[in-house]
Amino acid sequence: QITYGPFDPVLSDKIRFPSLYQVAPRISSLPRMMVQLMVHFGWTWVGLVVSDDMRGESFLLNVTGEMVRNGVCAAFTEKIPSGKFNTYKILHFYARIMASSTNVIAAYGDAEFLNLLRAVIEWFGLSKMVLITTYHWDFTLSMMHEANNNHFHGTLTMANFAKEVPGFRDFLRTIRPAKYPDSIILKKFWESAFDCAFSFSEIYGRKCSENASLEMLPMHYFSLTMSAPSYSVYNAVYAVAHGFQELLLSRSDRSQEEDPAEFHEFLRNVQFVNPAGQLVILDENRRSSAKFDILNFVIFPNGTGEFVKVGEVDPQATPNQDVTRHGSTLTVIVLCLGKVQAPQSRCSRSCGPGFRKRAQQGEAFCCYFCVQCPEGEISNETDAEQCVKCPEDQYPNIARDGCLHKVVTFLSPKEPLGLILVCTSLSFCLLTALILGVFIKYRDTPIVRANNRNLSYTLLISLKLCFLCALIFIGQPTPASCLLRQTAFGVVFTVAVSSILAKTVIVVLAFRATSLGSNIRGWVGTRTSTSIVLSCSLVQVLICVIWLGTAPPFPEMNTHSEPGLIIIECNEGSVTAFYCVLGYLGSLALVSFTVAFLVRKLPDSFNEAKFITFGMLVFCSVWASFLPAYQSTKGKATVAAEIFSILTSSAGVLSCIFIPKCYVILVQPDRNTRECLKRK
C-alpha cells in the first residue's frame, strides 16, 4: 500500500503496517521549522491553537520546547476538541484571543478540529492577525460557502516542499471535455465548476462553452498550481510505476501473475528522480528531514485567491540560512495585510542598542523592561540580555551603544602645561648656572670663602641637576626614562640635601672651634663636609640599586584612570622602594632643618644657618604637600605634581640660600670685604 496523504507517525509502525509506504515526507521537523519562521520575522509573542488529540498534544509539546530554545513565548494555548460549536464557545474563544496582545496565531490540526478557529475568523475577521498553519488544514474549503471571503487573507501556510512539474500548467490550460470525450468525471466537474450543462437540464440554465478554460475558475474551485497533497499523489504514481518496471525487468516470464509480497520488496528499494528533478525515496529510514514551502494566501482585488510561494524552510541548512526568501517575502506579507511596515508581535517593545532586558516578575521571559546599560558598559544589539564592557583600549559612547577608541596621552612638551614646565625648568637651570658663575668669579671674597665654597659649588651643581631632572618626567615614557626618573631625582636631591646638612654641621663645628681649648678645629675642613655628602649619598644610591635590582620602574598604559584616555605612564614597580627613597630624603631634610634652626642665631658675620632654615622649611613644606597630592591625582596630573614639587623645592633652596649672597656680592660689594668683616 502507498498512502499519499499527510505523514502520520502511527503508520510508521512496521510491525502493524509492514508493507505500507508514505510518500509525504516526515513532519518531525515541522515544529522547529515553524518556530524558525517566527524567529525570522521577529515574532516572539505567539498564540498557539492545536487540535485536542494525540497529534495536537505531540505538536504542542515539541513546538513549545522549540519556542523556549529560540526565545519565543506562547501568549496563550488553546486546545480545540472535535465537534459542533455553539455561539457561547465561539464568543469565549474570541474573547481569549482578543485578551492577548499577540498579532500572530500558529494553528495545527485538520479542518475537522479547527472548525472553531475557522468560525471565529469568519465571524470576527481578525484581520490584524497573521495566521500560521499547515497544509493539513485546507481552509480554502470554507470559501466554497461564502463569496468574496477574505478572512484568511495573508495567512502563511507551511506545506511540504513541492517543485513545479514541467508542463503541468500548460497541460491544464489545454484541457477541454471535447479533448477527452470518454471522461465522465471531467464532464461532471466541468458542469459543476462552470455552472453549465453539456445537454439540456433543468438544473443548469446555460450550455457549457467550448472555449472555457480551467484558468478562468476561482482559486477555491481550481488552481493551476500543483498543491502539496497533489504533489504527493504525483510522486506516488511514479513510485508505483518504477516499482512495476523493476518487477517486470526482473522476470523472465512477463505473463506471470504479480505477487504482492514480491512487489513489496521492489517498492521498498524504489529510489528515483521525478520529472521535477526531486529525489524520491519510499524507505522512511533513508529519507532526510523534509523541506517546507512557505505559502502566502493572497486574495486579489478581483476576488480571486491563490497561494503564493514566498519562501522555504530547510532543516538541513545552517541556522542563519534555514529560512530563505522566494522573491520578496516581506513585501508580500505587507501587501497582504495592507500595512506600511511588517507586522510585529511582541509582549514588550524591543530594547534598542544601549539598553538591556530586565524580566518582569511573574511574567513570561518575553515580557520585560528596558533598562539602560550601567556606566562603563554597552550593548550594540537589539534585545541584549546583558551589557558588556568595552575592550581595554576603548570606552563607551554617550548612548552606550558602541565603543570609541581611547586617545593615547602623556605629559607632552608640546602641550601648554608641559611647555610651561619645560621653560620653568630651563629658566631655573640657567639661573643656577649664573649663580654658580658668580660664586666662581668671586671665589676669593670673604662671603664665598666663609660659607665653604666647595660645598656651595656642590650644592649649586646638584640644584642645577635637580632642575634638569624635571625634564626626564616630561615626554612619552620609555623604559630608560622610567628607570632614570625616580632614581636620578632621589640621588641628586640627596646630594643637595646632604650638602646643606654638611653646611649646617660645619657652622656648628666652626662655632665650637672658636671656643678656648677646643679640639674640634681639626674637624672644620673639606674632609668632614666631603664625608657627610658622600656617606649620606651612598645610602640613597644603595636604596636605588636595590630598587632597580628587584622591581624596577617600567612604562605601562593606564586605561582606567580617566574615561576616554589611555595614559602612558611609569609604573613605579615597587611602591615600597619609591617611598623609601622619599622617606630617606625627607629624613635628611628634617635633620638639616632641625640643626639649622637650632644654630640660626649663632654670632657670626656670615652665618647662613638662618637662610638654610628658611630654605629647608620651604623644602619640607613642599614635599609634605606632595604626598597627599600624589595620592589624590591621576594620569598627567600626578606627573605634573611631582615636577612642580621638584621645581618648587629646588627653587626655594636656591632662593633662600644663594640669592641673599648674590645680592651682597653684586649690589653691596662694600660689605664683602675683609675690613667690613673685622669691623663686625
Side-chain angles (χ1 to χ4, degrees):
Q1 290 183 345
I2 297 181
T3 173
Y4 52 81
F7 187 87
D8 190 341
V10 176
L11 300 180
S12 297
D13 187 355
K14 292 303 178 184
I15 297 178
R16 296 175 59 190
F17 309 103
S19 59
L20 180 64
Y21 299 94
Q22 300 188 72
V23 179
R26 290 176 176 269
I27 60 171
S28 57
S29 61
L30 177 61
R32 180 162 63 93
M33 295 298 98
M34 190 173 284
V35 172
Q36 290 303 319
L37 181 63
M38 301 172 191
V39 173
H40 180 72
F41 288 107
W43 297 329
T44 58
W45 190 238
V46 180
L48 297 177
V49 179
V50 299
S51 56
D52 192 8
D53 59 0
M54 291 294 294
R55 295 176 185 173
E57 194 69 37
S58 175
F59 175 83
L60 183 62
L61 180 64
N62 292 329
V63 79
T64 50
E66 288 294 334
M67 289 170 67
V68 170
R69 281 189 287 272
N70 288 274
V72 182
C73 298
F76 64 86
T77 301
E78 192 72 24
K79 297 180 182 179
I80 300 180
S82 178
K84 295 182 178 181
F85 306 101
N86 53 33
T87 305
Y88 172 76
K89 288 186 177 181
I90 293 176
L91 292 175
H92 174 75
F93 189 30
Y94 172 73
R96 180 76 186 279
I97 295 176
M98 297 307 295
S100 172
S101 59
T102 182
N103 292 323
V104 178
I105 296 177
Y108 178 81
D110 54 25
E112 180 182 5
F113 285 95
L114 297 180
N115 277 333
L116 177 59
L117 179 59
R118 180 184 63 80
V120 171
I121 292 175
E122 291 179 353
W123 277 33
F124 300 101
L126 300 179
S127 58
K128 294 183 179 180
M129 291 192 176
V130 179
L131 185 64
I132 305 176
T133 70
T134 64
Y135 76 95
H136 303 136
W137 182 26
D138 189 6
F139 57 81
T140 58
L141 294 175
S142 65
M143 300 182 67
M144 301 282 288
H145 309 290
E146 196 170 335
N148 297 324
N149 191 333
N150 62 355
H151 299 315
F152 293 93
H153 183 57
T155 298
L156 294 175
T157 296
M158 305 283 289
N160 287 337
F161 178 75
K163 286 194 172 183
E164 185 172 353
V165 177
F168 182 68
R169 284 178 176 265
D170 296 333
F171 167 73
L172 292 179
R173 290 190 181 101
T174 61
I175 287 181
R176 303 286 189 279
K179 190 175 181 180
Y180 303 96
D182 297 332
S183 177
I184 300 175
I185 296 177
L186 181 59
K187 287 183 178 181
K188 292 291 185 182
F189 171 76
W190 210 270
E191 290 178 341
S192 174
F194 288 96
D195 194 19
C196 63
F198 286 98
S199 58
F200 176 78
S201 173
E202 295 180 356
I203 301 176
Y204 302 110
R206 61 188 181 88
K207 188 177 181 181
C208 294
S209 172
E210 293 291 335
N211 296 323
S213 173
L214 291 176
E215 62 181 341
M216 299 170 58
L217 293 174
M219 183 267 174
H220 58 266
Y221 275 98
F222 193 83
S223 174
L224 296 181
T225 303
M226 183 178 288
S227 64
S230 298
Y231 189 69
S232 295
V233 176
Y234 179 79
N235 286 331
V237 173
Y238 266 91
V240 172
H242 277 274
F244 271 119
Q245 183 182 20
E246 295 298 327
L247 174 63
L248 294 176
L249 290 176
S250 67
R251 289 181 174 179
S252 57
D253 184 6
R254 301 288 180 91
S255 62
Q256 182 180 350
E257 293 185 0
E258 288 78 8
D259 182 7
E262 185 182 4
F263 185 52
H264 164 68
E265 293 298 326
F266 284 95
L267 279 180
R268 183 169 59 186
N269 297 320
V270 163
Q271 177 176 328
F272 64 94
V273 178
N274 65 12
Q278 184 181 10
L279 179 64
V280 178
I281 302 175
L282 285 188
D283 189 356
E284 298 170 13
N285 297 324
R286 292 191 291 142
R287 274 189 277 180
S288 58
S289 298
K291 204 189 267 189
F292 291 93
D293 285 334
I294 306 172
L295 306 179
N296 194 197
F297 185 66
V298 183
I299 295 181
F300 298 101
N302 61 2
T304 61
E306 186 176 355
F307 278 109
V308 179
K309 181 177 178 179
V310 293
E312 298 173 1
V313 187
D314 188 0
Q316 305 297 325
T318 58
N320 294 330
Q321 298 178 342
D322 46 12
V323 179
T324 58
R325 295 185 178 186
H326 184 80
S328 181
T329 308
L330 190 57
T331 303
V332 173
I333 293 178
V334 172
L335 172 67
C336 295
L337 297 176
K339 295 184 177 181
V340 178
Q341 58 183 2
Q344 298 291 321
S345 185
R346 309 175 66 93
C347 178
S348 303
R349 67 178 180 88
S350 297
C351 294
F355 294 82
R356 67 174 180 86
K357 298 190 295 185
R358 189 175 71 182
Q360 296 184 20
Q361 189 173 3
E363 298 290 340
F365 64 86
C366 294
C367 303
Y368 46 79
F369 296 110
C370 295
V371 294
Q372 191 175 26
C373 290
E375 186 176 355
E377 297 183 1
I378 65 143
S379 66
N380 55 3
E381 58 183 17
T382 303
D383 291 335
E385 296 288 343
Q386 296 292 335
C387 298
V388 296
K389 291 186 176 181
C390 291
E392 290 291 330
D393 60 341
Q394 299 177 20
Y395 69 101
N397 57 11
I398 297 177
R400 299 179 188 176
D401 58 356
C403 295
L404 302 176
H405 285 280
K406 293 182 178 180
V407 178
V408 178
T409 184
F410 51 87
L411 185 58
S412 171
K414 297 180 180 180
E415 62 180 283
L417 178 60
L419 184 60
I420 291 173
L421 293 175
V422 169
C423 293
T424 304
S425 175
L426 293 176
S427 299
F428 278 114
C429 182
L430 179 60
L431 178 62
T432 308
L434 292 175
I435 294 174
L436 179 60
V438 170
F439 267 63
I440 293 175
K441 182 178 180 180
Y442 296 96
R443 60 183 179 276
D444 294 326
T445 60
I447 195 170
V448 175
R449 296 184 62 183
N451 295 134
N452 197 328
R453 58 187 174 189
N454 290 332
L455 280 179
S456 296
Y457 297 157
T458 304
L459 179 56
L460 285 171
I461 293 173
S462 61
L463 287 176
K464 183 178 180 180
L465 293 177
C466 287
F467 289 123
L468 292 177
C469 277
L471 299 178
I472 306 177
F473 289 80
I474 301 173
Q476 182 174 350
T478 62
S481 64
C482 287
L483 290 174
L484 286 175
R485 277 186 180 184
Q486 306 297 354
T487 53
F489 150 73
V491 172
V492 172
F493 259 79
T494 301
V495 173
V497 176
S498 300
S499 299
I500 295 173
L501 178 62
K503 273 178 168 288
T504 311
V505 171
I506 292 300
V507 170
V508 175
L509 293 177
F511 179 76
R512 297 290 184 186
T514 58
S515 301
L516 294 175
S518 175
N519 297 323
I520 306 177
R521 185 179 298 272
W523 293 93
V524 181
T526 57
R527 182 181 301 176
T528 302
S529 60
T530 303
S531 301
I532 293 174
V533 173
L534 288 178
S535 59
C536 293
S537 300
L538 284 175
V539 174
Q540 187 73 289
V541 170
L542 181 61
I543 295 174
C544 291
V545 169
I546 296 174
W547 184 6
L548 296 179
T550 54
F554 58 90
E556 70 170 358
M557 291 188 176
N558 186 344
T559 59
H560 304 289
S561 293
E562 298 183 37
L565 297 177
I566 297 178
I567 303 171
I568 304 179
E569 61 184 14
C570 288
N571 187 309
E572 306 304 345
S574 173
V575 179
T576 303
F578 173 67
Y579 283 110
C580 284
V581 169
L582 288 182
Y584 179 71
L585 183 61
S587 300
L588 286 180
L590 286 174
V591 172
S592 299
F593 171 73
T594 304
V595 175
F597 180 79
L598 293 176
V599 299
R600 71 189 185 281
K601 293 183 179 181
L602 288 178
D604 193 357
S605 298
F606 296 106
N607 182 9
E608 60 179 348
K610 54 184 176 182
F611 300 113
I612 293 175
T613 302
F614 285 114
M616 296 314 297
L617 179 63
V618 173
F619 187 92
C620 294
S621 300
V622 169
W623 287 104
S625 302
F626 165 75
L627 291 176
Y630 184 82
Q631 294 293 334
S632 59
T633 56
K634 51 189 176 182
K636 293 190 292 185
T638 304
V639 181
E642 188 166 359
I643 295 174
F644 179 79
S645 299
I646 291 173
L647 296 178
T648 306
S649 59
S650 301
V653 172
L654 182 68
S655 302
C656 293
I657 297 178
F658 292 100
I659 294 299
K661 295 181 178 63
C662 289
Y663 177 79
V664 172
I665 294 173
L666 299 176
V667 180
Q668 296 179 340
D670 55 318
R671 293 178 55 191
N672 190 20
T673 61
R674 185 180 296 273
E675 291 74 16
C676 182
L677 178 63
K678 288 181 177 180
R679 285 197 302 268
K680 288 191 176 183

